[in-house]
Amino acid sequence: MTSSILSRRNFLLGSAAVGVTLGAGCGEKKPLTSSDALNNSSLPSVVDWRITRWGSDPWSKGSYSYIPAGSSPRLRLDLARPTDGRRFMAGEATESDFPATVNGAVRSGFRAAQEVLEARGVDSCLVIGAGGSGLAAASQLQKEGCEVIVLEGRDRIGGRAWTDNLQDTPIDLGGSWFHGVDTHVLTPRAEELNIELVPTDYENWILFDFDGGRMNTARLNRLYDLVYDSVIGRSSTDAMGPLLSSIRESLSSEEQRWFDYVVVSEIEHWYAGHVDDLAMATAYEGALSRGGDAVPTTGYGPFMEDLASGLDIRLSTKVTEVSHNSSGVTVTTESESFEAASVVVTLPLGVLQSNTVKFSPELPYSQQVAVDGLGMGLMNKVVLEFEEPFWDVNKDLISYMPTNRGRFVEWYNAMSWTGKPILVGFNTADSAAAIETWSDASTLEASLEVLSKMKF
């Protein structure tokens, strides 16, 4: 891209401080021989793979939050507000400065821990959720001398920051990037843990048209300008979609397809929602992230393990009810109850919206409005490890302009941080929801079909 496009990318990373951060979820892997889709003779053999389905994951019910049309970023402040000095809220959806990121999740946990200490002092506390926010809150409280128990429904820690292994190589199926290295709360810990952060450059990219031919990215500059000038950086609560649709209608049929690519890759892949659902304020909220983007070579796993060190964490413990009164808090699970002076609730927005956990007393009106008013986005990954690379290994981003709007438009070259021939493909919003219903074989077949078209 040209330098003008670079400034747009920096704007997205800075003003909104979100992106492909809490991007994917519930990973599945079956024996490679289960799918004929892997026998694509035009590509090197696939030796390992993962497919994520965060929307159907009962512990998250989506990937990360956004500001939907008709709503405002103020809802995050309302969601974060404590109740009666007993019930405290954390999670990426409660973070105003760096929402929808691992950075924001961890920061929210530290913030909630401080609120607990100010309200209750050094006393007992229950933490619901062992994701980044829950682990951060629990570690800080325990460090200050509180008696803490963490209750986690999954059989693992990390939540949406989930590092798995492909052929013994760590790969993140959820949050991947340190967006804004200089403003990421875990950057100092990366140095202390001797974890390398490998910079990535979204402008170091290559673009293929629907037939696999190389496309000159400069042909899209006018369309980037139209998108940027029309919706990016406006604080309106109006939906992005109608304005973008009016612009699209003025274009030729070929440019409409290009425009769809720009909208999907530049907006929907950052905020994990369809532009018809996104408020213009989505691209306006948050603090400025600084220092560029990088991926830890170890994935986020060691950071989660570091936060969890020494904590009493009860895995596979599903919470069904959270109640409190002037005497304290009772958290009920499927098998037992726990009591403490306070509770930090870090349930993902999607779980709060599902009403699978009962609150007594009910959430305050403003907090329930926030739960209902915020949006839960969806971003899924297809991770493929090949016997050998067949792509330009010097490029960070491989983009594709499909005939089907939004499907498999971005692939990241993971070789720079894994040292292995691994590609990570992304789908978001409506495309992610549709593909999530496909079988593993169909998803792999579609992925490899796209990759096999590209004429490197």
Side-chain angles (χ1 to χ4, degrees):
M1 291 186 186
T2 65
S3 59
S4 63
I5 303 298
L6 175 60
S7 67
R8 291 192 201 94
R9 288 285 191 175
N10 286 341
F11 179 87
L12 284 167
L13 289 170
S15 67
V18 300
V20 278
T21 0
L22 292 170
C26 191
E28 292 192 4
K29 175 179 180 290
K30 296 182 176 67
L32 294 176
T33 56
S34 68
S35 174
D36 290 337
L38 296 166
N39 299 322
N40 189 316
S41 59
S42 66
L43 297 175
S45 297
V46 175
V47 298
D48 207 351
W49 54 274
R50 299 291 186 276
I51 296 171
T52 70
R53 295 182 174 89
W54 284 110
S56 57
D57 182 345
W59 308 112
S60 62
K61 296 184 180 294
S63 299
Y64 51 87
S65 62
Y66 64 82
I67 306 300
S71 298
S72 85
R74 180 177 177 81
L75 294 181
R76 299 194 186 279
L77 296 174
D78 292 335
L79 183 58
R81 191 167 290 118
T83 304
D84 301 330
R86 296 286 182 182
R87 190 171 65 204
F88 301 82
M89 306 293 285
E92 55 84 12
T94 72
E95 165 69 12
S96 297
D97 287 341
F98 301 99
T101 64
V102 178
N103 184 20
V106 174
R107 285 175 178 271
S108 76
F110 289 144
R111 182 260 307 156
Q114 186 59 39
E115 291 172 344
V116 171
L117 292 169
E118 292 175 358
R120 306 246 63 89
V122 180
D123 208 335
S124 59
C125 184
L126 298 169
V127 175
I128 301 175
S133 55
L135 294 174
S139 64
Q140 185 65 28
L141 288 169
Q142 183 162 283
K143 186 181 299 182
E144 296 295 329
C146 294
E147 179 183 348
V148 183
I149 297 177
V150 182
L151 307 175
E152 169 58 52
R154 300 181 189 273
D155 60 359
R156 61 171 178 81
I157 66 169
R160 287 167 282 168
W162 177 22
T163 305
D164 202 359
N165 288 290
L166 268 70
Q167 303 289 300
D168 298 323
T169 299
I171 194 79
D172 278 320
L173 300 182
S176 302
W177 271 264
F178 273 51
H179 286 298
V181 172
D182 293 346
T183 48
H184 198 298
V185 68
L186 294 177
T187 296
R189 195 62 180 140
E191 297 177 5
E192 294 166 358
L193 295 173
N194 197 29
I195 295 175
E196 181 184 4
L197 301 178
V198 178
T200 60
D201 180 4
Y202 307 110
E203 309 311 316
N204 180 26
W205 70 312
I206 186 172
L207 175 63
F208 294 92
D209 207 350
F210 72 97
D211 60 357
R214 288 281 298 272
M215 186 166 181
N216 183 350
T217 59
R219 300 177 73 180
L220 304 182
N221 284 352
R222 184 174 78 90
L223 302 181
Y224 278 105
D225 289 337
L226 287 173
V227 170
Y228 179 83
D229 294 339
S230 62
V231 302
I232 300 299
R234 298 191 180 189
S235 58
S236 168
T237 61
D238 293 339
M240 295 181 181
L243 183 53
L244 291 170
S245 293
S246 66
I247 295 172
R248 186 181 188 276
E249 290 172 0
S250 68
L251 303 174
S252 68
S253 58
E254 183 177 45
E255 280 194 319
Q256 285 181 355
R257 185 168 55 81
W258 299 354
F259 188 75
D260 287 342
Y261 163 79
V262 171
V263 168
V264 170
S265 62
E266 202 73 3
I267 299 178
E268 295 182 2
H269 270 228
W270 288 99
Y271 307 112
H274 193 282
V275 289
D276 287 346
D277 301 322
L278 295 171
M280 293 187 190
T282 293
Y284 187 79
E285 68 166 342
L288 179 66
S289 60
R290 300 185 301 273
D293 296 338
V295 178
T297 56
T298 60
Y300 266 109
F303 296 95
M304 298 299 107
E305 293 167 4
D306 179 56
L307 288 170
S309 178
L311 294 177
D312 182 356
I313 302 176
R314 313 292 176 89
L315 299 177
S316 302
T317 302
K318 182 180 180 180
V319 170
T320 58
E321 183 174 357
V322 180
S323 60
H324 74 269
N325 54 33
S326 59
S327 299
V329 171
T330 300
V331 174
T332 305
T333 72
E334 290 182 322
S335 59
E336 59 185 313
S337 294
F338 298 83
E339 295 184 351
S342 62
V343 61
V344 177
V345 178
T346 73
L347 296 171
L349 176 65
V351 175
L352 291 173
Q353 291 175 336
S354 71
N355 295 315
T356 53
V357 177
K358 179 182 177 181
F359 292 95
S360 178
E362 294 181 351
L363 297 179
Y365 176 76
S366 61
Q367 207 163 53
Q368 188 60 57
V369 168
V371 170
D372 297 336
L374 290 168
M376 189 61 167
L378 181 61
M379 173 175 283
N380 282 324
K381 294 181 180 179
V382 176
V383 184
L384 302 171
E385 180 175 352
F386 294 88
E387 279 189 335
E388 60 185 10
F390 57 90
W391 57 91
D392 185 344
V393 298
N394 295 312
K395 298 295 183 181
D396 285 339
L397 174 61
I398 301 166
S399 294
Y400 177 69
M401 195 176 299
T403 53
N404 290 324
R405 182 189 187 277
R407 294 187 179 179
F408 301 103
V409 301
E410 289 191 324
W411 294 84
Y412 282 84
N413 171 24
M415 285 196 69
S416 62
W417 67 83
T418 66
K420 298 293 181 64
I422 295 173
L423 290 176
V424 183
F426 289 83
N427 287 290
T428 62
D430 292 2
S431 294
I435 294 171
E436 188 163 299
T437 66
W438 296 358
S439 67
D440 292 339
S442 295
T443 305
L444 290 167
E445 183 177 18
S447 302
L448 295 173
E449 181 182 1
V450 167
L451 292 172
S452 66
K453 288 180 179 179
M454 299 177 183
K455 301 177 177 66
F456 287 96

Coordinates of all heavy atoms in Angstrom, one line a residue, residues 22 54-66 76 79 89-94 154 160 345-357 359 368 370-378:
L22 N -8.9 -10.6 20.0 CA -9.5 -11.7 20.7 C -10.2 -12.6 19.6 O -11.3 -12.9 19.7 CB -10.4 -11.2 21.7 CG -9.7 -10.6 22.9 CD1 -10.7 -9.8 23.8 CD2 -8.9 -11.5 23.7
W54 N -15.7 -19.9 17.7 CA -16.0 -19.2 19.0 C -17.4 -18.9 19.2 O -17.9 -18.8 20.3 CB -15.2 -17.9 19.0 CG -13.7 -18.0 19.3 CD1 -12.7 -17.8 18.4 CD2 -13.1 -18.4 20.5 NE1 -11.5 -18.0 19.0 CE2 -11.7 -18.4 20.3 CE3 -13.6 -18.7 21.8 CZ2 -10.8 -18.7 21.3 CZ3 -12.8 -19.1 22.8 CH2 -11.4 -19.1 22.6
G55 N -18.2 -18.8 18.1 CA -19.6 -18.5 18.3 C -20.4 -19.6 19.0 O -21.3 -19.3 19.8
S56 N -20.0 -20.8 18.7 CA -20.7 -22.0 19.4 C -20.0 -22.4 20.6 O -20.4 -23.4 21.3 CB -20.8 -23.2 18.4 OG -19.5 -23.5 17.9
D57 N -18.9 -21.8 21.0 CA -18.2 -22.1 22.3 C -19.1 -21.6 23.5 O -19.3 -20.4 23.6 CB -16.9 -21.3 22.3 CG -16.1 -21.6 23.5 OD1 -16.6 -22.2 24.5 OD2 -14.9 -21.3 23.5
P58 N -19.6 -22.5 24.3 CA -20.5 -22.1 25.4 C -19.9 -21.2 26.4 O -20.6 -20.5 27.2 CB -20.9 -23.4 26.0 CG -19.8 -24.4 25.7 CD -19.3 -24.0 24.3
W59 N -18.5 -21.2 26.5 CA -17.9 -20.4 27.5 C -17.5 -19.0 27.0 O -17.0 -18.2 27.8 CB -16.6 -21.1 28.0 CG -16.8 -22.5 28.4 CD1 -16.4 -23.6 27.7 CD2 -17.6 -23.0 29.5 NE1 -16.8 -24.8 28.3 CE2 -17.6 -24.4 29.4 CE3 -18.3 -22.3 30.5 CZ2 -18.3 -25.2 30.4 CZ3 -19.0 -23.1 31.4 CH2 -18.9 -24.5 31.4
S60 N -17.8 -18.7 25.8 CA -17.5 -17.3 25.3 C -18.7 -16.8 24.4 O -19.0 -15.6 24.5 CB -16.2 -17.3 24.5 OG -16.3 -18.1 23.3
K61 N -19.3 -17.6 23.6 CA -20.4 -17.2 22.7 C -20.1 -16.0 21.9 O -20.8 -15.1 21.8 CB -21.7 -17.0 23.6 CG -22.2 -18.3 24.3 CD -23.5 -18.0 25.0 CE -23.9 -19.3 25.7 NZ -24.3 -20.3 24.8
G62 N -18.9 -16.1 21.3 CA -18.4 -15.0 20.5 C -16.9 -14.7 20.7 O -16.3 -15.4 21.5
S63 N -16.4 -13.7 20.0 CA -15.0 -13.5 20.1 C -14.6 -12.2 20.9 O -13.9 -12.3 21.9 CB -14.4 -13.3 18.7 OG -14.6 -14.5 17.9
Y64 N -15.1 -11.1 20.6 CA -14.9 -9.9 21.4 C -15.9 -8.8 21.1 O -16.7 -8.9 20.1 CB -13.5 -9.3 21.2 CG -13.0 -9.1 19.8 CD1 -13.3 -7.9 19.1 CD2 -12.3 -10.1 19.1 CE1 -12.8 -7.7 17.8 CE2 -11.8 -9.9 17.8 CZ -12.1 -8.7 17.2 OH -11.6 -8.5 15.9
S65 N -16.0 -7.8 21.9 CA -17.1 -6.9 21.9 C -16.9 -5.7 20.9 O -15.8 -5.4 20.5 CB -17.4 -6.3 23.3 OG -16.2 -5.6 23.8
Y66 N -18.0 -5.1 20.5 CA -17.9 -3.9 19.7 C -19.1 -3.0 20.1 O -20.0 -3.4 20.8 CB -17.9 -4.2 18.2 CG -19.2 -4.9 17.7 CD1 -20.3 -4.2 17.4 CD2 -19.3 -6.3 17.6 CE1 -21.5 -4.8 16.9 CE2 -20.4 -6.9 17.1 CZ -21.5 -6.2 16.8 OH -22.7 -6.8 16.3
R76 N -19.6 0.7 28.2 CA -18.5 0.0 28.8 C -18.3 0.4 30.2 O -18.0 -0.4 31.1 CB -17.2 0.1 28.0 CG -17.3 -0.4 26.5 CD -15.9 -0.5 25.9 NE -15.9 -0.8 24.5 CZ -16.1 -2.1 24.0 NH1 -16.3 -3.1 24.9 NH2 -16.1 -2.3 22.7
L79 N -21.1 -1.0 32.3 CA -20.9 -2.5 32.6 C -19.8 -2.7 33.6 O -19.9 -3.7 34.4 CB -20.5 -3.2 31.3 CG -20.3 -4.7 31.3 CD1 -21.6 -5.4 31.8 CD2 -19.8 -5.2 30.0
M89 N -17.0 -6.1 38.2 CA -17.0 -6.6 36.9 C -15.7 -6.3 36.1 O -15.1 -5.2 36.3 CB -18.2 -5.9 36.1 CG -19.5 -6.0 36.7 SD -20.2 -7.7 36.8 CE -20.7 -8.0 35.1
A90 N -15.3 -7.3 35.4 CA -14.0 -7.1 34.6 C -14.2 -7.9 33.3 O -15.2 -8.6 33.1 CB -12.8 -7.6 35.3
G91 N -13.3 -7.7 32.4 CA -13.4 -8.4 31.0 C -13.2 -7.3 30.0 O -13.3 -6.1 30.2
E92 N -12.8 -7.8 28.8 CA -12.5 -6.8 27.7 C -13.6 -5.9 27.4 O -13.4 -4.7 27.0 CB -12.0 -7.5 26.4 CG -12.9 -8.6 25.9 CD -14.0 -8.1 25.0 OE1 -13.9 -6.9 24.6 OE2 -15.0 -8.8 24.7
A93 N -14.8 -6.3 27.6 CA -16.0 -5.5 27.2 C -16.2 -4.4 28.2 O -16.9 -3.4 27.9 CB -17.3 -6.3 27.2
T94 N -15.5 -4.4 29.4 CA -15.6 -3.4 30.4 C -14.5 -2.4 30.3 O -14.4 -1.4 31.1 CB -15.6 -4.0 31.8 OG1 -14.3 -4.5 32.1 CG2 -16.6 -5.1 32.0
R154 N -14.2 -23.9 32.0 CA -13.4 -24.7 31.0 C -12.5 -25.7 31.8 O -12.3 -25.5 33.0 CB -12.5 -23.8 30.1 CG -13.3 -22.8 29.3 CD -12.2 -22.1 28.4 NE -12.8 -20.9 27.7 CZ -13.4 -21.0 26.5 NH1 -13.5 -22.1 25.9 NH2 -13.9 -19.9 26.0
R160 N -10.2 -16.7 26.2 CA -10.0 -16.4 24.8 C -8.6 -16.1 24.4 O -8.3 -15.9 23.2 CB -10.9 -15.3 24.4 CG -12.4 -15.6 24.3 CD -13.3 -14.4 24.2 NE -13.4 -13.8 25.5 CZ -14.0 -12.6 25.7 NH1 -14.4 -11.9 24.7 NH2 -14.1 -12.1 26.9
V345 N -16.6 -10.7 38.6 CA -17.2 -11.5 37.5 C -16.5 -11.1 36.2 O -16.5 -9.9 35.8 CB -18.7 -11.1 37.4 CG1 -19.4 -11.9 36.3 CG2 -19.4 -11.5 38.8
T346 N -15.9 -12.1 35.6 CA -15.2 -11.8 34.3 C -15.9 -12.6 33.1 O -15.2 -12.9 32.1 CB -13.7 -12.1 34.4 OG1 -13.6 -13.5 34.4 CG2 -13.1 -11.5 35.6
L347 N -17.1 -12.9 33.3 CA -17.8 -13.6 32.2 C -17.8 -12.8 30.9 O -18.0 -11.6 30.9 CB -19.3 -13.9 32.6 CG -19.5 -14.8 33.8 CD1 -21.0 -14.8 34.2 CD2 -19.0 -16.2 33.5
P348 N -17.5 -13.5 29.8 CA -17.5 -12.7 28.5 C -18.9 -12.1 28.2 O -19.9 -12.6 28.7 CB -17.2 -13.8 27.5 CG -16.5 -14.9 28.2 CD -17.1 -14.9 29.6
L349 N -19.0 -11.1 27.4 CA -20.2 -10.4 27.1 C -21.2 -11.4 26.5 O -22.4 -11.4 26.9 CB -19.9 -9.3 26.1 CG -21.2 -8.5 25.6 CD1 -21.9 -7.8 26.8 CD2 -20.8 -7.6 24.5
G350 N -20.8 -12.3 25.7 CA -21.7 -13.3 25.1 C -22.4 -14.1 26.1 O -23.5 -14.5 25.9
V351 N -21.6 -14.5 27.1 CA -22.2 -15.3 28.2 C -23.2 -14.5 29.0 O -24.3 -15.0 29.4 CB -21.1 -15.9 29.1 CG1 -21.7 -16.7 30.2 CG2 -20.2 -16.9 28.2
L352 N -22.8 -13.3 29.3 CA -23.8 -12.4 30.0 C -25.1 -12.2 29.3 O -26.2 -12.2 29.8 CB -23.1 -11.0 30.3 CG -21.9 -11.0 31.3 CD1 -21.3 -9.6 31.3 CD2 -22.4 -11.4 32.7
Q353 N -24.9 -12.1 28.0 CA -26.1 -11.9 27.1 C -27.0 -13.1 27.0 O -28.2 -13.0 26.8 CB -25.7 -11.5 25.7 CG -25.1 -10.1 25.6 CD -24.6 -9.7 24.3 OE1 -24.2 -10.6 23.5 NE2 -24.5 -8.4 24.0
S354 N -26.4 -14.3 27.3 CA -27.2 -15.6 27.2 C -28.0 -15.8 28.4 O -28.8 -16.8 28.4 CB -26.2 -16.7 26.9 OG -25.4 -17.0 28.1
N355 N -27.8 -15.1 29.5 CA -28.5 -15.3 30.8 C -28.4 -16.7 31.4 O -29.3 -17.2 32.0 CB -30.0 -14.9 30.6 CG -30.2 -13.5 30.2 OD1 -29.6 -12.6 30.9 ND2 -31.0 -13.2 29.2
T356 N -27.2 -17.3 31.1 CA -27.0 -18.7 31.7 C -26.6 -18.6 33.1 O -26.6 -19.6 33.8 CB -26.0 -19.4 30.8 OG1 -24.8 -18.6 30.7 CG2 -26.5 -19.7 29.5
V357 N -26.2 -17.4 33.6 CA -25.8 -17.3 35.0 C -26.8 -16.3 35.6 O -27.0 -15.2 35.1 CB -24.4 -16.7 35.1 CG1 -24.0 -16.5 36.6 CG2 -23.3 -17.7 34.5
F359 N -28.1 -13.7 38.5 CA -27.6 -12.7 39.5 C -28.7 -12.4 40.5 O -29.8 -12.1 40.1 CB -27.0 -11.5 38.8 CG -25.8 -11.7 37.9 CD1 -25.9 -12.0 36.6 CD2 -24.6 -11.7 38.5 CE1 -24.8 -12.2 35.8 CE2 -23.4 -11.9 37.8 CZ -23.5 -12.2 36.4
Q368 N -27.5 -3.7 33.0 CA -28.3 -4.6 32.1 C -28.4 -4.0 30.7 O -28.3 -4.7 29.7 CB -29.6 -5.0 32.6 CG -30.4 -6.1 31.9 CD -29.6 -7.4 31.8 OE1 -29.2 -7.9 32.8 NE2 -29.3 -7.9 30.6
A370 N -26.3 -2.0 29.4 CA -25.0 -2.2 28.8 C -24.8 -3.6 28.2 O -24.3 -3.7 27.1 CB -23.9 -1.9 29.8
V371 N -25.2 -4.6 29.0 CA -25.1 -6.0 28.5 C -25.9 -6.1 27.2 O -25.4 -6.7 26.2 CB -25.6 -7.0 29.5 CG1 -25.7 -8.4 28.9 CG2 -24.7 -7.0 30.7
D372 N -27.1 -5.6 27.2 CA -28.0 -5.7 26.0 C -27.5 -4.8 24.9 O -27.7 -5.2 23.7 CB -29.4 -5.4 26.4 CG -30.0 -6.4 27.4 OD1 -29.5 -7.5 27.5 OD2 -31.0 -6.0 28.1
G373 N -26.9 -3.7 25.2 CA -26.6 -2.7 24.2 C -25.3 -2.9 23.5 O -25.1 -2.4 22.4
L374 N -24.3 -3.6 24.1 CA -23.0 -3.9 23.4 C -23.2 -5.0 22.5 O -24.1 -5.9 22.6 CB -22.0 -4.2 24.5 CG -21.5 -3.0 25.3 CD1 -20.7 -3.5 26.5 CD2 -20.7 -2.0 24.5
G375 N -22.3 -5.1 21.5 CA -22.3 -6.2 20.5 C -21.2 -7.2 20.8 O -20.1 -6.8 21.2
M376 N -21.5 -8.4 20.5 CA -20.5 -9.5 20.6 C -20.1 -10.0 19.2 O -20.9 -10.5 18.5 CB -21.0 -10.7 21.5 CG -19.9 -11.7 21.8 SD -18.5 -10.9 22.8 CE -17.7 -12.4 23.3
G377 N -18.9 -9.7 18.8 CA -18.4 -10.0 17.5 C -18.0 -11.4 17.3 O -17.8 -12.2 18.3
L378 N -17.7 -11.8 16.1 CA -17.2 -13.2 15.8 C -16.1 -13.1 14.8 O -16.2 -12.5 13.8 CB -18.4 -14.0 15.3 CG -18.0 -15.5 14.9 CD1 -17.6 -16.2 16.2 CD2 -19.2 -16.2 14.3

